[in-house]
Amino acid sequence: MKKNIILLSVILLSNFIFSNNNSFIPPTVTVSFTPSICDGSVTDIVLNSDTPNTTYTWSATTNNINSSFITFGDEANINQIIDLENNRLEGNITFMITPRANGENGSPIMVNITVNPIPVAYATPGNSTICNNEYAEIDLFSLLLVPGTYYTWTSYSTNITGASSGSGQTILNVLSLVNSIVSGSVIYEITPFRAGCQGNIIVVEIFVNPNPNTGLDGDISASETSTTPIDLFSIISGEEAGGTWTRTDGTGGSFDAIGGTYTPEIGASNSSFKYELTGDNTGCYSFSTATVNIDIVPIGIANTTNQTINNNDFSNIVLSSSNVSNSNFTWTFTSNNISGASNGSGNTIAQQLSLIDVNANGYVDYTITPINNTAIGNTFSARVNIQSTLNSETFIIDNFKLSPNPVIDILNIEDDNQIKNISIYNQLGQMVLSKEMKNNKGQLDLSFISSGIYIIFIETDTRIINKKIIKQ
């Protein structure tokens, strides 16, 4: 009885083991692949199962895919060449893969792959020619109008600055010749990209021609009264011959376009003239500008043309122009019984004049010429009378009071006559103070003036008085 129990146990165990060996579990599969590939590429689907001896069957559905290149089988690695039917559009291919092991199918696996078209670059314009310092503008697009295409390019230059490598939809460079009289060129190697797919490189070459040399701009000044024709070629420099002149700005005067000359006249304004050249073979254009600045003839005036001062006092003739604010002046002098006068230039004649014979009066006549650069105005005269201390006018002038002198801050002024204007000049002839008054006395605050020697001019109803003051 004991032997039968052991045998039964062995049979049951054997049956149990046999039964378990026939309860198969379907295989579990993992897959790796590239979900987006380029037209004409090979798939890289790799299948891995947790069950030994797993086999696979698969099929494919396609959209815009040339299925004539697709084969079916049971490979664990699916490598298929995928071509688009319409290479302007994206395509899709879906693989349905079924694993099988020990007579049991595993769960189907779906693998979807997007197939992208290869972009084909096109440039407009293609190879072309421009002139020095012009823009090279190249628009880039896909020959098959594949949307989403972008471009990178590399530039290689010969005798050119301004070319650059870059990326985008348009190449825009200002190209300049290193040697301005020798042609140059730039080669752009352009590569199209879309969704990681690289198209073939195209090459565009831009040739750059030199511009004709019209020289450097220039300008001169001329008086409106000048009657000598101005050679416009003498104003610009370094130009080639054979160009044409046109007037671009200004009025008045006589312009000779053929000879390239200009003659001013009274009332003419500043004028500009363009010298232009176009290359016979290249069509490249250049120009330069000659400018003639017209100097107006100044009309000179003085604050006084007949002034009376005491012996050893300073003259005070202030010069200006009624039509040219920045005019300058020169003067010469003739004198009688006077020392201290001199020829000079500037805007103020402030000279200490002394009688040679103190018992007699004297005078100085100044002949003054107004000047505006190249334009010289009509001369005019101003006289300064210097009175002897024996002159009766001295007693009237002596009624004028100025105190204190030297002065620290406040200067007091008083005269029998009404004081109209007061002005103070430094030793360089520069005005440091000007004040109007309508009284016979007043005060001046000189605290802002630096220490030194100054000349004060007081204009009354009857005369102009000048004195030397010392500021402490």
Side-chain angles (χ1 to χ4, degrees):
M1 175 65 71
K2 186 175 181 180
K3 290 181 179 180
N4 290 337
I5 292 173
I6 293 173
L7 180 60
L8 179 59
S9 297
V10 172
I11 293 171
L12 290 174
L13 179 59
S14 177
N15 288 336
F16 175 77
I17 294 172
F18 181 81
S19 175
N20 280 333
N21 286 339
N22 285 277
S23 298
F24 302 117
I25 299 173
T28 301
V29 177
T30 59
V31 60
S32 64
F33 66 98
T34 301
S36 179
I37 64 175
C38 300
D39 186 17
S41 298
V42 178
T43 61
D44 58 355
I45 303 172
V46 178
L47 304 166
N48 292 288
S49 174
D50 62 352
T51 303
N53 302 318
T54 300
T55 61
Y56 306 89
T57 59
W58 53 271
S59 62
T61 58
T62 62
N63 173 38
N64 192 34
I65 300 295
N66 187 347
S67 58
S68 62
F69 292 98
I70 299 175
T71 60
F72 299 94
D74 58 0
E75 302 95 336
N77 297 323
I78 304 175
N79 300 113
Q80 298 284 309
I81 297 175
I82 309 298
D83 284 331
L84 295 171
E85 287 185 335
N86 183 344
N87 58 6
R88 292 176 52 185
L89 305 175
E90 291 181 350
N92 296 90
I93 183 167
T94 301
F95 293 92
M96 185 64 70
I97 306 166
T98 302
R100 186 175 181 83
N102 298 321
E104 293 288 338
N105 290 336
S107 299
I109 302 165
M110 180 180 295
V111 174
N112 186 62
I113 296 175
T114 300
V115 183
N116 298 293
I118 302 294
V120 179
Y122 187 73
T124 180
N127 296 345
S128 58
T129 301
I130 62 174
C131 298
N132 188 25
N133 297 320
E134 289 185 347
Y135 276 96
E137 184 171 1
I138 305 171
D139 293 322
L140 305 174
F141 55 91
S142 173
L143 182 63
L144 298 175
L145 302 178
V146 177
T149 302
Y150 72 98
Y151 308 86
T152 64
W153 58 86
T154 304
S155 64
Y156 304 92
S157 302
T158 301
N159 192 37
I160 292 293
T161 62
S164 61
S165 302
S167 62
Q169 304 292 323
T170 302
I171 301 174
L172 188 63
N173 291 155
V174 176
L175 303 182
S176 302
L177 294 170
V178 177
N179 183 341
S180 62
I181 63 174
V182 179
S183 297
S185 65
V186 178
I187 292 176
Y188 294 98
E189 292 185 351
I190 304 161
T191 306
F193 292 90
R194 182 189 182 279
C197 298
Q198 176 180 324
N200 292 330
I201 294 174
I202 65 169
V203 176
V204 175
E205 186 168 10
I206 305 297
F207 300 92
V208 182
N209 285 322
N211 294 322
N213 184 13
T214 52
L216 301 176
D217 294 350
D219 68 281
I220 63 169
S221 296
S223 171
E224 62 179 345
T225 59
S226 174
T227 58
T228 303
I230 299 169
D231 181 10
L232 299 178
F233 284 102
S234 68
I235 302 175
I236 59 177
S237 59
E239 71 280 0
E240 297 176 16
T244 59
W245 284 100
T246 56
R247 185 172 186 170
T248 58
D249 190 32
T251 58
S254 176
F255 169 54
D256 179 2
I258 297 176
T261 62
Y262 172 69
T263 306
E265 65 181 13
I266 298 294
S269 64
N270 293 346
S271 300
S272 298
F273 304 88
K274 180 187 289 186
Y275 180 63
E276 303 170 275
L277 272 172
T278 301
D280 294 335
N281 299 323
T282 65
C284 292
Y285 166 84
S286 182
F287 74 90
S288 60
T289 300
T291 302
V292 179
N293 301 303
I294 302 299
D295 294 328
I296 299 172
V297 175
I299 300 172
I301 54 176
N303 65 329
T304 178
T305 57
N306 193 3
Q307 185 179 73
T308 299
I309 62 174
N310 284 339
N311 186 27
N312 297 320
D313 280 345
F314 283 81
S315 62
N316 177 35
I317 303 174
V318 180
L319 306 173
S320 60
S321 172
S322 62
N323 62 334
V324 182
S325 60
N326 60 344
S327 292
N328 190 26
F329 299 85
T330 62
W331 59 82
T332 58
F333 80 97
T334 58
S335 64
N336 178 276
N337 193 33
I338 293 296
S339 64
S342 62
N343 301 331
S345 64
N347 296 92
T348 303
I349 305 176
Q351 298 180 342
Q352 187 175 26
L353 303 177
S354 302
L355 293 169
I356 298 173
D357 180 359
V358 297
N359 296 313
N361 294 334
Y363 65 86
V364 177
D365 286 330
Y366 293 98
T367 301
I368 305 162
T369 303
I371 301 173
N372 174 29
N373 198 12
T374 65
I376 299 175
N378 293 328
T379 61
F380 60 99
S381 298
R383 169 169 286 194
V384 180
N385 301 292
I386 298 87
Q387 291 185 332
S388 167
T389 55
L390 301 179
N391 189 286
S392 60
E393 180 69 14
T394 302
F395 299 102
I396 300 175
I397 294 177
D398 285 344
N399 289 333
F400 171 77
K401 296 179 181 180
L402 185 84
S403 65
N405 191 14
V407 59
I408 297 176
D409 291 321
I410 302 301
L411 182 67
N412 300 299
I413 301 172
E414 184 176 352
D415 191 66
D416 288 345
N417 300 295
Q418 187 181 62
I419 300 172
K420 297 169 62 178
N421 293 288
I422 298 175
S423 57
I424 297 177
Y425 293 81
N426 61 21
Q427 291 181 300
L428 298 177
Q430 299 167 330
M431 180 184 291
V432 297
L433 183 144
S434 177
K435 183 176 180 180
E436 291 185 1
M437 293 184 64
K438 293 184 178 179
N439 205 332
N440 66 334
K441 63 181 178 178
Q443 291 184 329
L444 296 178
D445 183 358
L446 304 185
S447 59
F448 68 95
I449 296 177
S450 302
S451 298
I453 298 174
Y454 296 86
I455 310 265
I456 184 169
F457 295 89
I458 300 95
E459 181 183 355
T460 72
D461 288 336
T462 60
R463 62 189 180 275
I464 295 177
I465 305 169
N466 62 66
K467 295 288 185 182
K468 182 190 297 184
I469 60 174
I470 300 173
K471 171 66 168 62
Q472 291 184 333

